[in-house]
Amino acid sequence: MFIRQLKQPVTALKGVGKGVAKAYENLGIETWADLLLCAPRSYEDRTSFTSLSEIPDGGQANTIVQVVSHSYFGSGKKRTLKVIVRDADESGSQRASLLCFGRNFLERVLRIGSLFYLYGQFQRHFHELQSSQFEMTPVLPDGSLPHDFGKMIPVYPLSGILTQRIIRRDIAGILGQCGVLENELPEYIMKEHQLLDTDSAIRILHEPESQTILKSALKTLAFTELFYLQLIGRRKTNSTRTGNKNLKNTEITVLENRFIHSLPFSLTKDQMHALEEIRRDMALAAPMNRLLQGDVGSGKTLVAWISALRVIQEQGQVAFMAPTELLARQHAEKAAGMLEPFGVRIAFLTGSVTGIARRNLLKALEHHDIDIIIGTHALFSEDVTFANLRYIIIDEQQRFGVVQRLSLLDKASYPDVLMMSATPIPRTLALTVFGDLDISTIRTMPVGRIAIVTYLVSNQSRERMYAAIKVEFSRGHQAYFVYPRIESDGNSNLRDVESMFKKLSQEMYPGIPAALIHSRLPENEKVDILLRFNRGEISYLVSTSVVEVGIDIPNATCMVIEHAERFGLAALHQLRGRVGRSTLQSYCFLVYEADLSDDARQRLMVMKDSTDGFYIAEQDLLIRGPGEVAGTRQSGFLKLRFASLTTDLPLITEVRTAVDSVLKKDTPLLSASHATIRNVLLHAPPFEERSMEL
Ligand code: ADP
Ligand code: MG
């Protein structure tokens, strides 16, 4: 019951309509759990009291007052209520004026003679204390003090039409309804590290009584966050794996060998090296925990499949998790084409596989009639059971929440894990967070790849670009046109998918088959379009950045990115990586608006000058500063709400010892029966395509 409550969308709260929900979404808040974890930017400390008589020359008042009288000044529209109040304590001598600009309705609220809690900033003016910035909360008839009296008041990040009052109201609403929040950490860890329970920590976060208690709450929340973050990288490394793990040697298996020799090309040196490293890991008693990084198209996925063959030959099952349904499907199709001839049984599972099909599939998985299952985060739904899951491959790992990655691990005892990323992660960062994560890097591109030629195209000189692409069409090649928006919002100058689709298909390329694709299309339509694009029935796609990740159409040679100045380097690099995936010469056109900012100009120059993902990531760091490590902030990777990787180093160390001791005890921490906030995050959809559309 309770976990369902936490999963509810914010709109399930009284008073939260579309506008507020939209504003919350901008802050990354969709569910009640998100809202509970919304960390205040700062706090207003109202714990020490200051009466009016203590600030005769002005300053901050924080006290109880009585309303003395009302009057008005100004006339017409400017007629403004002025409320005289005085200290409610015995002294009662000091008076002050509250100027109610735009708030004349307060006449009805601030009744003469009644007591109010007052918080406000006062100035001495015309021989009186005045304030136009104040908050008043009634002291209740029974004399009880208002809720925020003498507390530390949280100040939340805002967006859109949100106000502090709305966020405070909504959080208080949830805390009032949600009962006691379940604990996220084992008792003994809490004791040992002097942490609060989750319920107290969250409540204190939003309603702290003092600085001291707030400190413990913040420590608890940062600790919990780092704890779960580290769990994924720090599984039982010091214990031997049980079960049927027979891969004692590092020799290449028969199946691997046959497959490699069947390829129409040879592996690159870096691919072979990565495979060796993986083989070595797999032969060890401790489970593999490896990050395979390399540029888009460098052949990471192929490495993953080859290493999967090794596991399959030893009767293990393999789970391959992709960030979106579209990508999962594409991987499944490609894998089927490559691996089924070798007797590998492949299945595809996402949230959209339901009913009998799903039941049959799950049964087959449980009976080991499936060797490789490819899917989205649906792979770790509660009803999915494996006969012998030994190997988990995570594509574009930065797009998954840590907890999502972690929960897949629950499906097996000590599986080997390979995470793939085209966004290089600074090594120190990875080590700090993931503990014993190993890294393989593919730097060399497959031979025969011709570097993509990148042109910067000013908005006015686009005609030549259209002409050049027409030539590519005449050669039977294909193109992508990417725009930041799906549809026009009427007044902005941003070109959008819908109007440009019309323009391209009617004016530029009449008679050339095209399709429009964006995140709002139903999944099956998207898939159908990509299949037709893949078969060459469509010559160009007009799309949003949904094509950013992983889509692999070797015959596509042109990538047009409009309003390129609005995209970050990581996104531009990913998008450009959709072309140049064969031996054909490919082109990338970055169309920009005049009046580029310095940063935007630098980004575009970097793109023009380099196709090296590692170099681009470094430049990204230089241009944006270390505050936003390549792609991490947008992608949700390392989405830390409470902990800081720079200032919390001692805490990170402390958490490591805690994680160690939990791993020794082997307590399941994220089983779906736990109604914790973290389990809600776990079931949230992964970072979605739509959030990449501007
Ligand atoms: P990544 O996962 O790094 O984006 P993929 O493994 O999907 O890259 O490879 C991209 C394309 O290059 C695929 O079509 C793949 O079959 C092909 N490929 C992979 N390795 C090589 C290689 N050594 N030589 C030629 N082509 C390769
Ligand atoms: Mg890939």
Side-chain angles (χ1 to χ4, degrees):
M1 197 46 212
F2 169 57
I3 191 151
R4 247 180 239 138
Q5 268 192 330
L6 283 179
K7 276 190 211 173
Q8 292 179 92
V10 287
T11 45
L13 285 163
K14 237 196 222 143
V16 177
K18 275 207 184 114
V20 172
K22 180 84 204 141
Y24 273 132
E25 200 186 308
N26 288 339
L27 296 176
I29 296 171
E30 292 183 353
T31 61
W32 287 22
D34 292 331
L35 200 46
L36 288 181
L37 289 179
C38 175
R41 271 192 283 127
S42 61
Y43 292 85
E44 255 170 45
D45 190 345
R46 302 189 187 178
T47 50
S48 55
F49 298 99
T50 313
S51 65
L52 295 173
S53 58
E54 288 170 83
I55 50 161
D57 299 316
Q60 194 78 38
N62 183 36
T63 186
I64 306 238
V65 295
Q66 184 173 38
V67 178
V68 178
S69 65
H70 296 161
S71 61
Y72 278 89
F73 63 95
S75 60
K77 274 195 179 153
K78 290 198 177 143
R79 204 172 102 96
T80 297
L81 173 68
K82 172 164 152 179
V83 176
I84 310 286
V85 295
R86 67 157 183 241
D87 278 328
D89 59 16
E90 307 80 62
S91 73
S93 49
Q94 182 63 57
R95 295 181 173 219
S97 305
L98 307 177
L99 311 180
C100 309
F101 294 106
R103 298 200 273 175
N104 285 354
F105 64 88
L106 286 176
E107 178 172 0
R108 274 168 286 125
V109 183
L110 304 179
R111 292 248 173 76
I112 293 171
S114 38
L115 295 177
F116 284 87
Y117 164 53
L118 164 71
Y119 181 83
Q121 183 64 42
F122 284 81
Q123 285 95 36
R124 181 114 206 140
H125 219 237
F126 300 122
H127 310 295
E128 59 177 19
L129 271 179
Q130 288 187 347
S131 177
S132 53
Q133 287 167 19
F134 57 88
E135 278 176 40
M136 300 279 273
T137 324
V139 174
L140 297 174
D142 65 0
S144 65
L145 293 172
H147 168 77
D148 45 4
F149 184 82
K151 297 251 177 74
M152 314 252 309
I153 305 295
V155 182
Y156 296 98
L158 294 181
S159 162
I161 61 171
L162 280 179
T163 61
Q164 294 300 336
R165 202 171 268 274
I166 294 177
I167 300 195
R168 286 176 202 158
R169 173 200 71 193
D170 292 343
I171 289 176
I174 295 173
L175 288 174
Q177 289 174 63
C178 70
V180 179
L181 294 163
E182 272 199 47
N183 243 344
E184 295 181 280
L185 294 171
E187 291 282 339
Y188 68 93
I189 295 290
M190 286 165 43
K191 280 223 182 75
E192 197 172 319
H193 297 270
Q194 291 165 355
L195 304 170
L196 303 171
D197 58 82
T198 302
D199 188 71
S200 310
I202 295 277
R203 285 174 198 275
I204 291 165
L205 174 73
H206 299 295
E207 297 173 8
E209 307 259 337
S210 70
Q211 292 282 4
T212 330
I213 187 88
L214 176 62
K215 240 181 160 169
S216 339
L218 289 174
K219 179 184 169 184
T220 300
L221 294 168
F223 189 106
T224 311
E225 192 165 75
L226 289 168
F227 180 86
Y228 281 94
L229 196 58
Q230 286 195 17
L231 256 186
I232 188 162
R234 319 229 330 108
R235 292 161 299 129
K236 272 214 170 156
T237 45
N238 50 356
S239 78
T240 330
R241 263 186 293 201
T242 50
N244 39 4
K245 172 99 180 172
N246 301 322
L247 295 164
K248 284 289 161 271
N249 63 55
T250 55
E251 294 287 292
I252 194 160
T253 63
V254 179
L255 197 54
E256 277 173 280
N257 230 336
R258 274 177 48 216
F259 178 76
I260 291 172
H261 283 107
S262 78
L263 291 170
F265 47 74
S266 44
L267 297 176
T268 63
K269 227 175 80 209
D270 286 353
Q271 280 175 314
M272 290 198 288
H273 188 65
L275 277 169
E276 260 165 43
E277 288 175 320
I278 293 173
R279 256 182 239 131
R280 247 197 338 244
D281 281 0
M282 286 183 163
L284 293 173
M288 170 168 83
N289 189 35
R290 186 168 283 279
L291 176 71
L292 177 57
Q293 55 175 3
D295 238 321
V296 273
S298 61
K300 297 183 295 295
T301 312
L302 189 70
V303 166
W305 292 137
I306 297 172
S307 58
L309 290 176
R310 184 173 191 82
V311 175
I312 292 165
Q313 179 142 19
E314 301 294 332
Q315 316 305 324
Q317 285 175 303
V318 180
F320 185 108
M321 182 161 77
T324 65
E325 175 145 2
L326 206 65
L327 285 170
R329 199 178 284 273
Q330 184 180 280
H331 279 305
E333 267 151 23
K334 222 169 163 201
M338 282 192 300
L339 302 174
E340 276 174 357
F342 293 86
V344 176
R345 298 160 301 175
I346 294 176
F348 171 69
L349 176 68
T350 68
S352 65
V353 178
T354 54
I356 296 187
R358 185 184 180 91
R359 277 203 298 283
N360 288 342
L361 195 152
L362 293 182
K363 216 182 281 163
L365 196 60
E366 206 172 343
H367 292 157
H368 209 153
D369 296 330
I370 291 171
D371 300 311
I372 300 183
I373 186 147
I374 300 169
T376 56
H377 59 296
L379 288 181
F380 53 72
S381 311
E382 253 176 88
D383 57 347
V384 181
T385 323
F386 292 82
N388 184 26
L389 177 60
R390 309 296 323 175
Y391 188 23
I392 296 172
I393 302 165
I394 302 176
D395 189 24
E396 303 297 342
Q397 61 85 26
Q398 72 280 7
R399 294 189 173 248
F400 289 98
V402 168
V403 183
Q404 290 171 321
R405 287 179 263 155
L406 190 54
S407 63
L408 194 50
L409 298 181
D410 278 355
K411 299 276 179 199
S413 50
Y414 319 122
D416 288 315
V417 176
L418 182 71
M419 297 183 273
M420 299 193 285
S421 174
T423 311
I425 300 167
R427 192 177 175 80
T428 47
L429 196 65
L431 286 177
T432 320
V433 179
F434 292 122
D436 52 1
L437 182 81
D438 294 304
I439 300 180
S440 293
T441 303
I442 304 184
R443 277 183 179 273
T444 44
M445 291 301 258
V447 284
R449 286 288 159 78
I450 304 171
I452 302 168
V453 175
T454 300
Y455 296 105
L456 304 185
V457 181
S458 79
N459 189 22
Q460 293 80 14
S461 54
R462 55 176 60 234
E463 295 308 322
R464 278 176 55 199
M465 167 182 85
Y466 287 135
I469 295 171
K470 200 167 197 164
V471 173
E472 282 297 293
F473 287 151
S474 72
R475 294 177 175 148
H477 300 160
Q478 294 162 291
Y480 300 93
F481 290 83
V482 176
Y483 302 90
R485 274 173 188 272
I486 298 179
E487 61 199 1
S488 165
D489 69 351
N491 46 29
S492 96
N493 300 324
L494 284 186
R495 286 175 292 282
D496 61 272
V497 169
E498 288 182 349
S499 15
M500 288 308 287
F501 178 72
K502 266 196 209 121
K503 194 174 156 83
L504 290 171
S505 56
Q506 289 168 9
E507 295 171 30
M508 304 304 159
Y509 307 119
I512 296 180
L516 175 159
I517 187 167
H518 55 69
S519 62
R520 275 196 235 140
L521 289 185
E523 199 59 40
N524 56 351
E525 269 181 52
K526 278 192 262 181
V527 170
D528 183 58
I529 289 171
L530 281 178
L531 283 178
R532 285 191 289 140
F533 190 53
N534 201 10
R535 289 197 296 262
E537 295 162 20
I538 291 171
S539 292
Y540 63 96
L541 289 182
V542 183
S543 94
T544 56
S545 51
V546 287
V547 293
E548 186 186 320
V549 206
I551 290 179
D552 187 14
I553 315 273
N555 194 46
T557 58
C558 299
M559 168 60 70
V560 177
I561 306 170
E562 295 237 18
H563 296 286
E565 73 278 1
R566 298 190 155 243
F567 292 86
L569 272 176
L572 289 173
H573 182 59
Q574 279 277 354
L575 280 168
R576 183 170 60 183
R578 297 309 105 218
V579 297
R581 301 180 72 84
S582 67
T583 50
L584 301 170
Q585 173 66 59
S586 289
Y587 307 90
C588 174
F589 301 91
L590 302 175
V591 184
Y592 62 90
E593 288 303 293
D595 294 333
L596 284 177
S597 72
D598 278 353
D599 278 10
R601 185 185 309 277
Q602 280 186 56
R603 283 201 302 272
L604 295 183
M605 288 314 290
V606 169
M607 288 300 293
K608 183 173 161 50
D609 292 342
S610 175
T611 51
D612 176 349
F614 290 91
Y615 172 78
I616 291 173
E618 266 164 33
Q619 292 302 308
D620 202 18
L621 260 177
L622 284 178
I623 296 173
R624 290 194 298 173
E628 295 184 49
V629 173
T632 56
R633 208 171 84 173
Q634 300 93 320
S635 67
F637 170 59
L638 302 187
K639 187 174 178 196
L640 294 175
R641 295 172 163 91
F642 301 100
S644 149
L645 289 180
T646 45
T647 58
D648 282 335
L649 281 176
L651 188 63
I652 291 172
T653 323
E654 191 180 336
V655 170
R656 285 183 79 147
T657 62
V659 171
D660 275 344
S661 65
V662 168
L663 289 176
K664 278 191 194 113
K665 285 202 162 61
D666 205 19
T667 19
L669 282 169
L670 275 170
S671 84
S673 59
H674 287 156
T676 61
I677 294 189
R678 233 138 289 266
N679 255 328
V680 176
L681 301 184
L682 158 80
H683 293 289
F687 184 65
E688 284 199 46
E689 299 159 33
R690 75 180 146 66
S691 44
M692 285 186 291
E693 287 166 356
L694 298 177

